[in-house]
Amino acid sequence: MFVLTQLEIKTLLKNIDLEKVIKEGFISYSNNLAVIPPVGELLFTEPPGEVHIKYGYIKNEKYYVIKIASGFPNNTDFKLSTGQGMMLLFDQKTGKPISILLDDGYLTDVRTAIAGKICVKEFSNKITGIGVIGTGTQAKIQLEYLSSITDCKKVILWGRSIEKAQEFKKMMIKYGFNIKISSSIDFLSKNCNLIISATSSNKPLLLKEHLRHGMTIIAVGADTELKRELGSGILSSVDLIITDSLSQCRLRGEISHSLKNNEIKIDDVIELGKVLDKTIKGRMKKKQIIVSDLTGVAVQDIKIAGKVFEAFLENQNEV
């Protein structure tokens, strides 16, 4: 069995068309070609933390994958990454363990960012301003991957901590972004037609009154039942609601709150894979407001883990 470190994984990712891989996964999922059980979850209070266990397989492919990814915000006190975890790769035909990918949660961050990038390409108007709500790892990596698909370098950043916001700004200089830190989400929303929300908030941050015609919102922070970044009335007011998983969004993420409050119906929600395979149209008018609620689906982990391992095997054969 092969064990791959995070450093090896990062090197291998450079030669993988991640957007193509993740798109294939979403399309397989939405066409019932993937077997994805409900998410396993452990929540901790002392210290605070969470562990997500996602797993499954795509029919007629080589592997099945079990992914364990955690977030423990107090890890910084111990000079540890807040994200930890691994992906376990097995032979789909025999169940034999094939590889352990010790990515410390990095692949989860990447595949989430790629999903956000895909949604921006599919649903956004020409970007005139990027609003980022949050200063953590996912907010950074979302913006990093956007740098390759837009000429817009105007960013307005909102975060709870001015120190973390300033650190964020310094880290993003290498991507050419002109970042203005703001304490007002209202100011952010008035000056940005693309908003990325990537926090672990349990209380809404972006409110109905912040909506503007033509806006695209990528919400990736709310991946449990308790988390929520979008306020009441947002989803019932927008023109298109996108999710990565119809079954998952009933239980977690922004859509789940609106469903529970009877603001929307599940029939109002479109699964991303159906847009990617052209079964359903995405944005049709510039004035439309579109929200993508991404809670993360195991099919993303299956595709990215499999491709990383295959890239590793290719390198081994070349030696």
Side-chain angles (χ1 to χ4, degrees):
M1 183 168 62
F2 298 96
V3 178
L4 305 184
T5 66
Q6 189 191 86
L7 182 60
E8 290 175 299
I9 290 166
K10 286 183 175 182
T11 301
L12 292 167
L13 284 176
K14 294 176 183 178
N15 297 316
I16 298 173
D17 186 344
L18 293 172
E19 188 178 332
K20 179 177 181 289
V21 168
I22 299 301
K23 275 186 176 182
E24 289 173 352
F26 284 132
I27 291 171
S28 294
Y29 180 78
S30 292
N31 284 282
N32 299 315
L33 297 176
V35 177
I36 308 295
V39 178
E41 190 170 70
L42 297 172
L43 301 178
F44 301 88
T45 55
E46 296 182 4
E50 58 190 64
V51 178
H52 295 178
I53 305 163
K54 297 184 178 183
Y55 54 106
Y57 65 93
I58 297 172
K59 297 174 184 177
N60 299 317
E61 292 199 0
K62 292 182 181 179
Y63 313 109
Y64 76 84
V65 172
I66 299 173
K67 190 274 293 286
I68 305 166
S70 67
F72 284 80
N74 291 355
N75 277 6
T76 52
D77 297 339
F78 309 104
K79 296 183 180 179
L80 292 172
S81 170
T82 56
Q84 299 291 326
M86 65 184 70
M87 294 191 181
L88 310 175
L89 204 69
F90 300 82
D91 186 294
Q92 193 181 127
K93 292 182 179 179
T94 66
K96 180 183 177 181
I98 300 295
S99 181
I100 300 175
L101 280 63
L102 296 175
D103 68 314
D104 297 330
Y106 181 73
L107 287 174
T108 297
D109 290 332
V110 169
R111 57 81 148 152
T112 305
I114 294 296
K117 176 183 175 181
I118 289 169
C119 287
V120 171
K121 290 183 74 172
E122 288 290 330
F123 306 115
S124 179
N125 287 313
K126 182 176 175 57
I127 302 170
T128 56
I130 304 168
V132 178
I133 300 174
T135 57
T137 299
Q138 187 52 224
K140 294 186 183 83
I141 200 167
Q142 286 279 338
L143 193 57
E144 174 187 339
Y145 276 93
L146 276 186
S147 65
S148 66
I149 61 170
T150 178
D151 294 329
C152 179
K153 300 301 179 183
K154 173 188 171 185
V155 177
I156 298 177
L157 174 67
W158 179 93
R160 294 185 184 90
S161 164
I162 186 64
E163 290 79 15
K164 289 183 178 179
Q166 289 171 341
E167 179 186 345
F168 184 111
K169 183 175 180 177
K170 289 178 183 177
M171 290 184 68
M172 291 296 110
I173 287 175
K174 61 184 175 182
Y175 299 105
F177 289 111
N178 178 20
I179 297 178
K180 178 181 178 62
I181 299 170
S182 175
S183 60
S184 168
I185 291 181
D186 185 60
F187 176 80
L188 179 152
S189 67
K190 286 178 178 176
N191 289 277
C192 300
N193 65 342
L194 171 64
I195 296 180
I196 298 164
S197 190
T199 76
S200 58
S201 179
N202 290 339
K203 296 180 180 179
L205 300 170
L206 192 68
L207 306 178
K208 181 181 176 181
E209 53 262 36
H210 295 140
L211 295 178
R212 304 285 182 268
H213 287 305
M215 182 179 281
T216 303
I217 299 168
I218 311 295
V220 299
D223 56 358
T224 70
E225 292 184 31
L226 299 178
K227 294 177 186 176
R228 187 173 190 182
E229 299 181 289
L230 308 185
S232 177
I234 284 187
L235 294 187
S236 59
S237 301
V238 304
D239 300 287
L240 200 60
I241 307 168
I242 306 296
T243 184
D244 44 12
S245 167
L246 283 171
S247 60
Q248 231 171 250
C249 77
R250 296 173 186 268
L251 303 173
R252 58 187 65 237
E254 308 299 340
I255 292 167
S256 69
H257 297 290
S258 292
L259 289 171
K260 290 171 188 173
N261 294 332
N262 295 314
E263 295 178 10
I264 62 170
K265 298 177 181 178
I266 195 65
D267 291 343
D268 297 324
V269 183
I270 295 171
E271 205 165 69
L272 178 57
K274 289 297 183 182
V275 178
L276 297 177
D277 73 2
K278 309 302 180 185
T279 301
I280 297 174
K281 292 183 179 180
R283 179 181 290 279
M284 290 183 283
K285 297 179 181 178
K286 287 187 176 181
K287 286 189 176 182
Q288 285 181 309
I289 304 172
I290 299 177
V291 171
S292 294
D293 178 21
L294 305 175
T295 57
V297 190
V299 73
Q300 298 166 258
D301 305 312
I302 296 163
K303 293 299 289 188
I304 199 168
K307 286 298 181 182
V308 166
F309 181 67
E310 287 174 1
F312 167 75
L313 289 182
E314 287 177 12
N315 281 2
Q316 293 290 103
N317 292 333
E318 291 173 1
V319 174

